[in-house]
Amino acid sequence: MLSHNLGYPRVGAHRELKKVSEAFWAGNGGKDALLETARKLRRQNWETQRAAGIDLIPSNDFSLYDQVLDAASMVGAIPKRFHALIDGKANREMDLYYAMARGVQREGIDLHALEMTKWFDTNYHYLVPEFSKNQSFTRYSNKVIHEFVEALQLGILTKPVLLGPISFLLLGKEKESGFHRIDLLDNLLPVYISILEELADRGATHIQLDEPMLVQELTQDEQVSFHKAYAEIRAAVPQVNLILATYFGELADNLALAAGLPINVLHIDITRSIHSLPAILSYETFVSSNKILSLGLVDGRNIWKNRFEASLSSIKQATRALGRERVWLAPSCSLLHCPYDLELEGQEDILTPEVKNWMAFSRQKLTEIAELKRLSAIKWKFDPIFLANRAAQGARNNSPLIHRPEVKAGVAAILPADLARQNTFSQRQLIQKHRLKLPLLPTTTIGSFPQTEEIRALRARFKNRAISEEDYHSELEKEIIASIRWQESLGMDVLVHGEFERNDMVEYFGERLSGFVFSQNGWVQSYGSRCVKPPIIYGDVSRPFPMTVRWSAFAQANTIRPMKGMLTGPVTILQWSFVRDDQPRQQTAWQIGLAIRQEVLDLEKAGIRIIQIDEPALREGLPLRKKDWAQYLEWAVGAFKLSASAVADQTQIHTHMCYSEFNDIIEAIANLDADVITIETSRSQMELLDAFVEYKYPNEIGPGVYDIHSPRTPSVDEMVLLLEKALRVIPARNLWVNPDCGLKTRKWPETKVALQNMVAAANLLREAVAFSEK
Ligand code: GLN
Ligand code: ZN
């Protein structure tokens, strides 16, 4: 039995990589500092893993930006637009790498970056490789070789980790029509093989190929490609132990495919489905082979202590069927998705020792793996470490901090009627039109206004107790009033208060709900140098006090126009947090739904006529396999409706979505039954509307006309064109005019111009529509 690790976080326990990368990008030189920091981090990671007792330690899991970009760079998958950066020039690898990651705008060059998208169902974003027809590949970056050699020089024989060739192709995107990216395998394989051969020549005994696509549905062609790729790889490096890593889900109908590939070790994630382990242990072809099974039993996606008793029982099942030598232990996936080290959480008033004792961050997870290996070889029942683990589980299971009977009773008492508004949308629409008296094509924004340095500094001063609550509030009130006056002068129809009091749309609510804790150093890479510190939901969730009413009521008191109340929805709060693992996600989502429902009712009581409940993460919660979608959508839509449905018909509920394509879940979105949805579309020139040709979206909708992710200000004409496009499939009485998303990342000057143009575009179209209806 060996223990191994699939990957370790790489931004540094104190986000060291972030700091040096950003300094380098800002053009302040510092290339040497960057490379030196990167080297230091790799070394620390290797040494930490060795000290924890991990037998096989990965290399090439480090990345300056992203592991998929690393793979693209390794095989020379460099889109044409970047060629000018390197043609005929030496030493351009790093320049090119960051150009593909971040785009370049300098000295007359203007190259857009690769697209970014979510890595499976995580909150990590990878860069999407671009492919053209008949594209060729050549070895470009030797990073994987360098890092293997670097570790060897430190006395550590590592296991290089590479994104496997099939997942690499499937995670990319065709940039022209007339081919499928999997067709490029023949061109790609020789490059992979050449790298694997060199690693073998340099002494690598084990190589890990990540093929997470094996947990999703595969076409016939894709399955055939797996066989072909691995047969060729096997033949090229017969002496190397090939580890095929799958994670984030179960193999299910790809089990025979994965288990049948000519590899030595198959890694499966057993944290995500109770079927994974029994399925493979009852698969005779695998059991009777001599392949090794790597058990991914320490959850790499969450921060809870492993349940040793359950893990030891899984290990026992596996060793009984396969023998001890054919079972390895590992985290479920790379530890990239976990924070570094629980020991860095110093301040006891934030993460109390009691709650801390339920948790394990990446460094603790390494120890868990080593301990499980040790325990599995002995009579563990009376081992002190085992007993301590069991005691921690017991304390957690029974803690009154977690279990609040009144919250559980609240969820148990939910009735179907609680998930529905009193009357149908068409009845509500009449009542709301009468009450709100908005013009045709009403204009609004999504909630946040630019977060200036001053606003951030103000919040920081309050947090550090450098100013009193009174002063803080009065400063915020000044900002709100200024933004109201400014929206009124523009002619905006439905106003927002600007969200100046919020650091982050999930954190703000997490800090005010019970059942959440926050780490101080629990940073997790989101993309490139960006890290997030997800809230930790550890207990039953409730809302002790109103969270937003004060600000919304204040804002409404200062204008006669409707002021939107602004909330984050239950699915998004769930999705962007570390979630408890001792009850189904649905249960937690519904607890949050109930808390938001109370907030919605309090806003209504305070005279707020329009309430927006943002659910930008609804889509990213979708399970990886389509067959599981319906079940997820049912409870996720239910959680939203629970939060939204208690109000009277005359109160208008909005929701907002962004960050993904929605065409394939448009019916679920309609089932939310929000009176109005504002939704991202402008980057894709309203691709969303394609879905509306066949499906008539029933309620009101504001497809974004202004791409807030770019500093460009769209012209009036551009927005008129987009709106005209929308009017072809959406009746004018249902159409709203708004940006794509909140404006907090933008600067004031461009925001003002863009919104002025937006209101002008709405005015122009109103006239046109009124004229055509005469
Ligand atoms: N109301 C939020 C804002 O305007 C929505 C942000 C989001 O959708 N990501 O910032
Ligand atoms: Zn948004």
Side-chain angles (χ1 to χ4, degrees), residues 80-152:
K80 284 207 187 69
R81 65 181 176 283
F82 295 103
H83 287 190
L85 289 178
I86 49 170
D87 282 347
K89 298 175 191 125
N91 283 333
R92 283 305 168 92
E93 185 177 321
M94 207 159 143
D95 208 27
L96 171 73
Y97 182 80
Y98 287 131
M100 298 209 302
R102 312 178 61 243
V104 243
Q105 253 179 337
R106 62 162 191 245
E107 302 142 24
I109 322 177
D110 188 355
L111 304 172
H112 61 271
L114 300 189
E115 237 177 79
M116 212 161 52
T117 197
K118 294 233 168 180
W119 176 243
F120 297 86
D121 56 354
T122 72
N123 277 330
Y124 177 81
H125 303 70
Y126 74 94
L127 289 154
V128 182
E130 294 178 13
F131 299 124
S132 53
K133 198 171 174 180
N134 301 323
Q135 157 154 8
S136 59
F137 299 91
T138 48
R139 271 182 70 168
Y140 183 70
S141 168
N142 280 311
K143 170 180 178 292
V144 54
I145 310 277
H146 293 154
E147 291 182 11
F148 175 73
V149 172
E150 189 180 288
L152 210 52

Side-chain angles (χ1 to χ4, degrees), residues 446-448 499 505 566 576 612 614 616 656 658-659 741-742 744:
I446 307 304
S448 58
E499 300 181 25
M505 65 186 291
M566 197 57 64
W576 292 349
Q612 177 173 314
D614 292 325
H656 164 71
C658 54
Y659 299 128
C741 192
K744 69 171 171 219

Side-chain angles (χ1 to χ4, degrees), residues 382-453:
F382 299 103
D383 183 275
I385 295 209
F386 170 76
L387 290 174
N389 179 278
R390 197 166 63 180
Q393 310 297 344
R396 183 175 167 212
N397 288 345
N398 301 317
S399 169
L401 277 181
I402 294 187
H403 301 286
R404 314 252 318 278
E406 70 286 5
V407 176
K408 294 189 209 295
V411 171
I414 295 168
L415 299 171
D418 297 331
L419 306 191
R421 300 286 296 270
Q422 285 159 17
N423 283 297
T424 62
F425 169 71
S426 47
Q427 288 165 296
R428 300 192 310 261
Q429 189 178 36
L430 284 176
I431 299 170
Q432 290 166 14
K433 289 232 187 262
H434 179 75
R435 183 188 196 203
L436 294 167
K437 302 210 166 43
L438 295 170
L440 203 61
L441 312 183
T443 51
T444 191
T445 57
I446 307 304
S448 58
F449 282 135
Q451 292 259 333
T452 57
E453 276 310 314

Side-chain angles (χ1 to χ4, degrees), residues 517-588:
V517 274
F518 290 83
S519 65
Q520 280 193 300
N521 266 297
W523 295 101
V524 178
Q525 190 176 16
S526 168
Y527 64 88
S529 64
R530 278 260 331 199
C531 300
V532 293
K533 211 170 54 169
I536 299 168
I537 305 178
Y538 74 100
D540 288 335
V541 176
S542 65
R543 187 204 66 146
F545 306 103
M547 305 180 282
T548 64
V549 176
R550 181 186 195 290
W551 301 114
S552 291
F554 172 82
Q556 183 64 83
N558 280 284
T559 180
I560 53 164
R561 300 191 186 203
M563 173 61 60
K564 267 197 280 193
M566 197 57 64
L567 305 172
T568 302
V571 183
T572 299
I573 293 181
L574 182 83
Q575 200 59 32
W576 292 349
S577 302
F578 284 120
V579 179
R580 56 193 289 191
D581 61 352
D582 58 343
Q583 67 182 20
R585 289 171 79 79
Q586 152 163 15
Q587 183 74 10
T588 308

